[in-house]
Amino acid sequence: MSDNKKRLVFSILEFLQQSVNDGTIKADDVEGIEVAMQCIGESFGVDVQDETQRAMFTTKPATLSTIFDVFIKTQNKMSSKQASSAPQPEVPVAKKAEISEQEIAKAEELKKAGNKKVSEKDYEEAIKLYSQAIEINDNNSVYYANRAAAYGQLGDHDSAIADSIRAAEIDPTYVKAYSRMGHAYFSKGSYKEAVEAYEKGLELDSNNASMKSALSTARQKLQEVGPQNQARSAPGAGAGAGGLPNLGGMDFSSMMSNPAFMNMANQLMSNGGLERLLSNPNIAQMAQNMMGGGAGAGAGGDPAAGAPDGNPLADMMNNPELMNMARQFMGNQGGNNGSS
């Protein structure tokens, strides 16, 4: 028998003895391992206790474990080199075709047509038009935000949230993406997410009064219901879910779920404020026009892109004449009540 074989057996026996000594082998198995070591040693004529054989066959300071580790590392390196030297198949990269000026103009026309349908309260058609604009140019945050507003009017707040998130991904500085995201979350009763969306929007536009009011109301609702119960108190959408009518083209369920409106309403309802406001002939005339479906698009002329929530209430809130009268009225009411 060659010395190399005996050296290998000697290293194996040393490894087994070390495993017994360091506790690698359980105590219950030690006796069996020692019997096996004795049998192996006798078969190959090797004795690890023999000093003469130790001097001839030991590989120390290297051990069987360290030698095996070197082998594994060398094998891995060789495999890596072979893999890297092998020719790699070319993977074609799909490139999105650049949008021509004509296509950009077409998408803008579709968006404008969608805005017109929103002003006419034809939200389903508006969604179709915005979707066509997105098919042409899917990298425009305004198209997604406008479609989110239309989805919200139909009570599809999940789709509104998805579109708002996409709008924010395309343009993280687009404030209306967060405003509509907050409104959609609020409408679902997800007040924690609504607060986060409004806070993000206010980081970008700290002077946005409408969003400040919405944030205040969302925080109040979150405090009332608690984070774990927030979804259970989600407001209904439309007459079917919330039992509130759509009168003269105005969706009262959307109004009641709009935090800015609710904050203003809470103030007006205190101490007979609503009666005094409605006694103003200009306000009364505006109310009659709105009930007749003549609310229009507000000051911005673009109900979907210009209004915070893309609905008649938002148009009303954006009407500078109405808001100026409301501010004057609130100031007078504060003086009458003795508040600062």
PDB file of all heavy atoms in Angstrom, residues 35 69 95 135 138 152 164 178 185 240 273:
ATOM      1  N   VAL A  35     -15.009   2.569  17.457  1.00  0.00           N
ATOM      2  CA  VAL A  35     -14.940   1.210  16.903  1.00  0.00           C
ATOM      3  C   VAL A  35     -14.626   1.282  15.410  1.00  0.00           C
ATOM      4  O   VAL A  35     -13.791   0.514  14.889  1.00  0.00           O
ATOM      5  CB  VAL A  35     -16.261   0.450  17.149  1.00  0.00           C
ATOM      6  CG1 VAL A  35     -16.281  -0.870  16.381  1.00  0.00           C
ATOM      7  CG2 VAL A  35     -16.465   0.205  18.640  1.00  0.00           C
ATOM      8  N   ASP A  69     -11.175  22.633   2.269  1.00  0.00           N
ATOM      9  CA  ASP A  69     -11.636  23.999   2.020  1.00  0.00           C
ATOM     10  C   ASP A  69     -10.887  24.623   0.853  1.00  0.00           C
ATOM     11  O   ASP A  69     -11.477  25.308   0.004  1.00  0.00           O
ATOM     12  CB  ASP A  69     -11.437  24.860   3.274  1.00  0.00           C
ATOM     13  CG  ASP A  69     -12.440  24.511   4.364  1.00  0.00           C
ATOM     14  OD1 ASP A  69     -13.479  23.892   4.044  1.00  0.00           O
ATOM     15  OD2 ASP A  69     -12.187  24.865   5.535  1.00  0.00           O
ATOM     16  N   LYS A  95     -36.816  49.132 -26.632  1.00  0.00           N
ATOM     17  CA  LYS A  95     -36.760  50.581 -26.491  1.00  0.00           C
ATOM     18  C   LYS A  95     -38.109  51.170 -26.872  1.00  0.00           C
ATOM     19  O   LYS A  95     -38.682  50.826 -27.903  1.00  0.00           O
ATOM     20  CB  LYS A  95     -35.672  51.166 -27.394  1.00  0.00           C
ATOM     21  CG  LYS A  95     -34.260  50.746 -26.985  1.00  0.00           C
ATOM     22  CD  LYS A  95     -33.230  51.423 -27.873  1.00  0.00           C
ATOM     23  CE  LYS A  95     -31.810  51.055 -27.454  1.00  0.00           C
ATOM     24  NZ  LYS A  95     -30.793  51.713 -28.322  1.00  0.00           N
ATOM     25  N   GLU A 135     -52.386  56.136 -23.355  1.00  0.00           N
ATOM     26  CA  GLU A 135     -51.885  55.159 -24.326  1.00  0.00           C
ATOM     27  C   GLU A 135     -50.855  55.794 -25.254  1.00  0.00           C
ATOM     28  O   GLU A 135     -49.894  55.153 -25.666  1.00  0.00           O
ATOM     29  CB  GLU A 135     -53.047  54.590 -25.138  1.00  0.00           C
ATOM     30  CG  GLU A 135     -53.935  53.626 -24.349  1.00  0.00           C
ATOM     31  CD  GLU A 135     -55.069  53.084 -25.200  1.00  0.00           C
ATOM     32  OE1 GLU A 135     -55.094  53.398 -26.410  1.00  0.00           O
ATOM     33  OE2 GLU A 135     -55.929  52.360 -24.670  1.00  0.00           O
ATOM     34  N   ASP A 138     -47.616  57.743 -21.811  1.00  0.00           N
ATOM     35  CA  ASP A 138     -47.834  57.209 -20.459  1.00  0.00           C
ATOM     36  C   ASP A 138     -46.857  57.785 -19.442  1.00  0.00           C
ATOM     37  O   ASP A 138     -46.716  57.260 -18.344  1.00  0.00           O
ATOM     38  CB  ASP A 138     -47.739  55.682 -20.458  1.00  0.00           C
ATOM     39  CG  ASP A 138     -46.355  55.182 -20.851  1.00  0.00           C
ATOM     40  OD1 ASP A 138     -45.503  56.022 -21.226  1.00  0.00           O
ATOM     41  OD2 ASP A 138     -46.121  53.971 -20.793  1.00  0.00           O
ATOM     42  N   GLY A 152     -62.651  59.131  -8.990  1.00  0.00           N
ATOM     43  CA  GLY A 152     -63.195  59.498  -7.690  1.00  0.00           C
ATOM     44  C   GLY A 152     -64.649  59.908  -7.766  1.00  0.00           C
ATOM     45  O   GLY A 152     -65.449  59.587  -6.881  1.00  0.00           O
ATOM     46  N   SER A 164     -53.223  58.142  -8.833  1.00  0.00           N
ATOM     47  CA  SER A 164     -52.536  59.200  -8.096  1.00  0.00           C
ATOM     48  C   SER A 164     -51.109  58.780  -7.758  1.00  0.00           C
ATOM     49  O   SER A 164     -50.172  59.582  -7.861  1.00  0.00           O
ATOM     50  CB  SER A 164     -53.297  59.527  -6.807  1.00  0.00           C
ATOM     51  OG  SER A 164     -54.593  59.990  -7.085  1.00  0.00           O
ATOM     52  N   TYR A 178     -50.775  64.303  -4.916  1.00  0.00           N
ATOM     53  CA  TYR A 178     -50.936  64.006  -3.491  1.00  0.00           C
ATOM     54  C   TYR A 178     -52.283  64.484  -2.966  1.00  0.00           C
ATOM     55  O   TYR A 178     -52.875  63.856  -2.083  1.00  0.00           O
ATOM     56  CB  TYR A 178     -49.798  64.640  -2.700  1.00  0.00           C
ATOM     57  CG  TYR A 178     -48.449  64.161  -3.155  1.00  0.00           C
ATOM     58  CD1 TYR A 178     -47.638  64.953  -3.967  1.00  0.00           C
ATOM     59  CD2 TYR A 178     -47.982  62.895  -2.814  1.00  0.00           C
ATOM     60  CE1 TYR A 178     -46.410  64.509  -4.411  1.00  0.00           C
ATOM     61  CE2 TYR A 178     -46.751  62.440  -3.255  1.00  0.00           C
ATOM     62  CZ  TYR A 178     -45.967  63.250  -4.057  1.00  0.00           C
ATOM     63  OH  TYR A 178     -44.751  62.804  -4.496  1.00  0.00           O
ATOM     64  N   TYR A 185     -58.005  58.342  -0.521  1.00  0.00           N
ATOM     65  CA  TYR A 185     -57.833  57.579   0.716  1.00  0.00           C
ATOM     66  C   TYR A 185     -58.869  57.988   1.758  1.00  0.00           C
ATOM     67  O   TYR A 185     -59.441  57.141   2.463  1.00  0.00           O
ATOM     68  CB  TYR A 185     -56.428  57.796   1.280  1.00  0.00           C
ATOM     69  CG  TYR A 185     -55.373  56.895   0.681  1.00  0.00           C
ATOM     70  CD1 TYR A 185     -54.209  57.420   0.116  1.00  0.00           C
ATOM     71  CD2 TYR A 185     -55.522  55.512   0.690  1.00  0.00           C
ATOM     72  CE1 TYR A 185     -53.231  56.600  -0.423  1.00  0.00           C
ATOM     73  CE2 TYR A 185     -54.551  54.684   0.146  1.00  0.00           C
ATOM     74  CZ  TYR A 185     -53.410  55.229  -0.403  1.00  0.00           C
ATOM     75  OH  TYR A 185     -52.448  54.416  -0.941  1.00  0.00           O
ATOM     76  N   GLY A 240     -76.123  54.936  -4.129  1.00  0.00           N
ATOM     77  CA  GLY A 240     -76.252  53.520  -3.828  1.00  0.00           C
ATOM     78  C   GLY A 240     -75.554  53.152  -2.536  1.00  0.00           C
ATOM     79  O   GLY A 240     -76.062  52.387  -1.747  1.00  0.00           O
ATOM     80  N   GLY A 273     -74.441  80.058  11.828  1.00  0.00           N
ATOM     81  CA  GLY A 273     -73.641  80.658  10.759  1.00  0.00           C
ATOM     82  C   GLY A 273     -74.168  80.351   9.379  1.00  0.00           C
ATOM     83  O   GLY A 273     -74.120  81.189   8.482  1.00  0.00           O
TER      84      GLY A 273
END
